[in-house]
Amino acid sequence: LCDAFRQTLVEHHFPQERIRLIYNPVDIEIVRPTDGIAFRNAHGLSSDDFVVLFSGSMGLKQGLTNVVEAARLTHVEFPQIKWVLVGDGESKRVVEKLISDHGLSEFVRLLPLQPLSQMSPMYSAADMLLLNQLRTVKDAVIPSKLLTYMAAGRPVLAAVNSSSQAAVLIKEARGGLLIAPEDPLALAQGAISLLTRKPELNEMGWRNRQYAEVWFDQRKILAAQESFLLEVIAQAKCATVL
């Protein structure tokens, strides 16, 4: 599913010629760049807001308390930065309580999981899409969230381990900003540094979309899977005959 798997197999002396790398697929027709104005309007986000949006599971490994702490650092001098967290999970109540305790409800928005029809408008409403993880997370696979973010054609603000597969992919695509995980100051500074760099953000988003079209398009990946399975069957038949 990703190069980390391939590297591990090779290190354990598995023959390279027997390895096929086939990414997880994304429906790039359902998730694509579109107009996010209606989504902003529906959720009280203005055109002047700089929206940093996270969508997905709110579990322990996502470390979303980091976002609340970053909001505490940005809300006074940079009130236009709005942190939007979409989803559910075991950490949601903790995050919700922190938002309330620090009076940040205007600057950190919690939204429920959105229907499939709202995915593209939701992602397109963001100036940046947030990938936030604990520093101990070194993904054995590329997070499916990141593949979807890239298909949406938006830049990614990634607070992840620099050795993770997510970091490797963002570097290859040149589609985002990598910062230290579990570091609220770095997260806040990352968002602040991009406030006035809209052309650069648009370029990052465009590169992500191009990368997704080349590597994650489900039509190409399913064709590659089919080709691989047919190759295996042909080899098996040949071996049986012999």
Side-chain angles (χ1 to χ4, degrees):
L1 294 177
C2 67
D3 197 55
F5 279 178
R6 186 193 65 77
Q7 291 176 6
T8 300
L9 288 169
V10 171
E11 288 169 5
H12 287 78
H13 310 295
F14 193 88
Q16 294 195 50
E17 66 274 10
R18 295 185 63 192
I19 300 173
R20 298 292 187 278
L21 177 60
I22 302 178
Y23 288 118
N24 279 328
V26 176
D27 189 333
I28 64 170
E29 295 304 316
I30 289 180
V31 181
R32 60 183 304 110
T34 185
D35 189 342
I37 295 175
F39 188 89
R40 283 196 177 217
N41 292 340
H43 298 286
L45 298 165
S46 77
S47 58
D48 294 327
D49 287 332
F50 186 85
V51 177
V52 183
L53 185 143
F54 167 95
S55 176
S57 173
M58 296 183 178
L60 293 177
K61 84 168 190 175
Q62 280 73 39
L64 293 176
T65 56
N66 190 45
V67 177
V68 181
E69 292 303 315
R72 292 181 67 189
L73 298 172
T74 60
H75 80 282
V76 175
E77 288 190 60
F78 302 95
Q80 68 270 47
I81 298 178
K82 300 297 193 297
W83 306 85
V84 180
L85 308 179
V86 182
D88 204 350
E90 58 189 320
S91 296
K92 185 173 183 177
R93 288 186 179 179
V94 174
V95 171
E96 194 169 25
K97 185 176 186 304
L98 285 173
I99 293 170
S100 176
D101 289 348
H102 297 301
L104 294 170
S105 58
E106 182 183 346
F107 308 100
V108 186
R109 309 285 181 83
L110 286 176
L111 300 179
L113 286 171
Q114 299 296 300
L116 187 62
S117 62
Q118 286 300 301
M119 285 185 68
S120 289
M122 174 184 70
Y123 292 133
S124 295
D127 293 282
M128 293 208 78
L129 296 172
L130 176 64
L131 186 63
N132 191 84
Q133 296 180 337
L134 300 180
R135 66 172 61 92
T136 53
V137 176
K138 293 184 180 180
D139 298 290
V141 295
I142 300 167
S144 58
K145 183 196 324 298
L146 178 57
L147 306 189
T148 307
Y149 282 179
M150 296 179 83
R154 304 306 299 143
V156 178
L157 179 59
V160 299
N161 189 306
S162 60
S163 299
S164 68
Q165 286 298 288
V168 170
L169 193 67
I170 291 169
K171 289 175 187 175
E172 286 184 357
R174 296 185 299 124
L177 178 64
L178 292 171
I179 58 173
E182 296 183 68
D183 186 339
L185 180 58
L187 184 57
Q189 290 177 337
I192 292 167
S193 72
L194 295 165
L195 273 175
T196 58
R197 295 157 63 181
K198 190 172 182 63
E200 186 175 345
L201 290 175
N202 289 337
E203 289 175 7
M204 288 180 184
W206 181 84
R207 287 194 292 264
N208 276 340
R209 176 65 186 185
Q210 295 301 304
Y211 198 93
E213 289 179 358
V214 171
W215 296 105
F216 308 135
D217 183 347
Q218 69 173 6
R219 294 165 297 189
K220 294 180 181 179
I221 290 175
L222 293 176
Q225 289 176 337
E226 181 182 44
S227 176
F228 170 65
L229 293 173
L230 289 172
E231 180 183 335
V232 171
I233 291 169
Q235 290 175 353
K237 287 181 177 180
C238 182
T240 301
V241 171
L242 293 176

